[in-house]
Amino acid sequence: MVLPQRLDLVDPRFRADPYPIYAELRADRPALRLQLPDGRDAWLLTRYADVESVLTDRDRFSTQSFLGQEGSAIPAHLSNVYMLFNEIMLGKDPPEHTRLRKLVQKTFTTRLVERLRPNVVDLAEHLLDTVFERARATGERRMEVIADYAFPIPVTIIMDLLGIPEAGRADIRKWSTALASFDGSLAQAELIVASVDAFVDYLRKLVQDKRNTPAEDLISALAVVEDDGDRLSEDDLLAMIYVLIFAGHETTLHLIGNGTRALLTHRAEFEKLRHNPALIDRAVEELLRYDPPVEVPRARIAVEDVDLAGVTIRRGEVVLVGIASANRDPGAFKDADSLDISRVENRHLGFGKGIHVCIGLALARLEARIAFEVLIRRMPELRLAVPADELELRPGGIFLRGLAALPVTF
Ligand code: HEM
């Protein structure tokens, strides 16, 4: 295959199966110049070592001011869109990032996550009960994994955890889906601004309610959390809630969806897990490696000139790192293109690395382990209902990769 001079990351043919192209890039052009949807040029790095080095080099690569950098003023009516996008801790460098991360970590603890275990089990069982009841009523043993299972689990759990009232949840999903496809361009910001404004109004009111009447939930805790006299400002808090809602479901949804597809297209691995459920922890790590929900994380900006992957990345240039590609690098993984749920050596980058490493990874692991365990135990005859190459991706930007629908029989 001849590599295209300019790779279009949103080209549906590339998105359908980017792995062969990634393999060629790693071999022949580990730093590729491409154009972002907003028109700016960027580098795409695809080798494990280079991806890891950018993610862990907090001094030379910034996640800040990805949008609205020097010269490109943001129109006032789009300010909420960029406020949510830029004020999240993922878009901050130290010391501001350190400050935000410390505050959220005081409330979003491993103990808090562990307490959710019974809720996640009950929810997964209940969702499949509903599917079985429907099958009895219709006589058809079919389900759509994304809508019936992979989507409701993380959404319900994060909404419960944050303390979002039932009545607001459907709107939040709609607004959050609009934001999920945001690529940073002004043109797209125009398309989603109405949703984002409604979202911000809703969150402001909710935070006010929680301040007036605190409850046993994460928003109430975040509203009052203190560290050495430091507190979250109103904008900090809104952006934090937004990132937890968004990161809390768009990603885990895809782990359950992509992971189920991977297991169903590798029957021997499915059977291995079915007969040996104790492999679940390793299996989830392998599914995160094999087809990770975050294909490319937030863009980085070089703070100074950096020599990497055989090129000089100039100060101010945009760098994308291919997590999905790094996870298939034969230089980092034995039989990198094979799915092996009993893999022991597995330093995948599915949760990122360095100071921005996923703060929700304990929750994501808990949800995914339970989701797969319950699904496989209750539906040992699970099979794809359509050929694997007919499955379509959920529309979205270049950052997340997951299925729009996954019809199966059981
Ligand atoms: C399978 C599920 C998940 C995957 C694959 C995932 C992946 C990632 C990755 C790759 C990053 C680093 C991004 C970067 O460096 O640019 C990240 C950061 C983050 N994740 Fe997750 N995530 C998942 C679930 C969650 C959940 C459940 C939450 C919260 C409830 C969450 C909250 C966050 C936050 C807040 C950050 C930013 C951390 C920081 O900037 O310090 N994620 N995640």
Side-chain angles (χ1 to χ4, degrees):
M1 196 187 301
V2 179
L3 282 172
Q5 261 312 314
R6 281 198 170 275
L7 179 66
D8 179 1
L9 283 180
V10 290
D11 181 338
R13 282 164 307 172
F14 168 71
R15 301 231 338 122
D17 182 13
Y19 293 104
I21 303 250
Y22 283 146
E24 295 200 24
L25 289 175
R26 285 191 306 267
D28 299 332
R29 217 172 316 153
L32 177 79
R33 209 69 180 134
L34 50 74
Q35 206 168 39
L36 293 174
D38 66 6
R40 283 182 299 154
D41 284 328
W43 293 102
L44 172 68
L45 305 183
T46 42
R47 285 187 185 155
Y48 186 96
D50 299 327
V51 171
E52 185 184 34
S53 103
V54 170
L55 289 176
T56 52
D57 190 345
R58 51 183 269 183
D59 295 327
R60 295 193 300 171
F61 291 99
S62 162
T63 58
Q64 206 155 328
S65 65
F66 169 46
L67 299 166
Q69 331 171 60
E70 305 99 82
S72 54
I74 290 170
H77 73 284
L78 299 177
S79 63
N80 277 338
V81 177
Y82 290 91
M83 184 274 280
L84 281 193
F85 205 82
N86 286 333
E87 293 307 312
I88 58 174
M89 69 177 152
L90 191 48
K92 299 287 180 192
D93 293 333
E96 182 59 9
H97 171 264
T98 322
R99 166 185 170 256
L100 292 172
R101 183 135 180 153
K102 224 166 142 192
L103 283 163
V104 75
Q105 255 167 349
K106 279 191 120 171
T107 53
F108 190 26
T109 58
T110 322
R111 197 157 2 114
L112 180 72
V113 169
E114 203 38 53
R115 280 216 315 258
L116 294 169
R117 179 180 292 277
N119 307 30
V120 182
V121 173
D122 285 355
L123 178 60
E125 299 278 5
H126 167 76
L127 290 167
L128 292 191
D129 287 345
T130 310
V131 170
F132 276 106
E133 274 162 31
R134 194 177 60 207
R136 268 192 295 276
T138 61
E140 280 198 75
R141 292 174 69 87
R142 295 172 76 90
M143 80 186 261
E144 200 283 89
V145 175
I146 303 297
D148 290 335
Y149 196 62
F151 190 72
I153 293 177
V155 173
T156 310
I157 296 297
I158 196 68
M159 300 277 190
D160 286 351
L161 183 66
L162 286 165
I164 302 210
E166 284 289 344
R169 294 185 181 190
D171 280 337
I172 289 208
R173 272 174 223 169
K174 207 174 61 202
W175 298 326
S176 170
T177 306
L179 267 162
S181 63
F182 185 45
D183 63 12
S185 64
L186 289 174
Q188 260 212 354
E190 293 284 359
L191 293 178
I192 63 169
V193 64
S195 293
V196 175
D197 284 346
F199 196 5
V200 167
D201 286 348
Y202 178 88
L203 290 182
R204 277 194 206 285
K205 182 161 179 322
L206 183 62
V207 165
Q208 201 46 54
D209 290 349
K210 299 276 179 193
R211 282 195 204 279
N212 294 341
T213 333
E216 285 272 309
D217 58 44
L218 198 51
I219 296 184
S220 302
L222 285 167
V224 297
V225 69
E226 267 194 56
D227 182 60
D228 268 346
D230 185 19
R231 304 270 300 260
L232 292 172
S233 72
E234 176 91 356
D235 280 1
D236 288 341
L237 190 54
L238 296 192
M240 189 68 76
I241 298 169
Y242 156 64
V243 79
L244 291 172
I245 292 174
F246 169 72
H249 76 266
E250 286 291 329
T251 48
T252 312
L253 148 71
H254 292 328
L255 173 56
I256 301 171
N258 295 358
T260 304
R261 170 178 60 178
L263 290 171
L264 294 181
T265 50
H266 297 79
R267 194 74 206 176
E269 297 304 296
F270 181 96
E271 294 301 332
K272 207 168 31 170
L273 188 53
R274 180 159 87 83
H275 292 294
N276 190 356
L279 283 175
I280 189 64
D281 292 6
R282 279 188 208 165
V284 166
E285 299 313 302
E286 177 65 347
L287 296 169
L288 273 161
R289 183 193 73 83
Y290 188 77
D291 200 11
V294 179
E295 182 171 1
V296 171
R298 191 175 174 104
R300 266 58 177 175
I301 312 275
V303 174
E304 57 187 69
D305 290 0
V306 182
D307 290 329
L308 203 63
V311 299
T312 301
I313 297 168
R314 300 276 171 213
R315 176 178 177 277
E317 285 183 335
V318 179
V319 181
L320 300 179
V321 293
I323 283 182
S325 172
N327 279 358
R328 297 284 192 102
D329 187 339
F333 302 95
K334 192 166 160 280
D335 295 327
D337 279 325
S338 305
L339 180 76
D340 173 5
I341 60 147
S342 45
R343 192 181 286 274
V344 179
E345 274 294 300
N346 193 349
R347 294 186 311 119
H348 70 79
L349 298 175
F351 285 125
K353 195 166 176 177
I355 59 168
H356 293 286
V357 68
C358 181
I359 206 167
L361 55 79
L363 178 59
R365 283 182 169 134
L366 179 83
E367 290 175 347
R369 287 170 186 169
I370 293 171
F372 289 118
E373 188 276 315
V374 173
L375 183 69
I376 292 173
R377 172 168 47 76
R378 295 195 58 187
M379 297 182 167
E381 293 307 317
L382 201 67
R383 295 268 188 288
L384 288 180
V386 296
D389 59 6
E390 285 178 17
L391 294 171
E392 287 188 9
L393 293 181
R394 194 168 155 90
I398 54 178
F399 303 110
L400 291 178
R401 185 182 156 70
L403 296 170
L406 180 56
V408 293
T409 58
F410 56 92

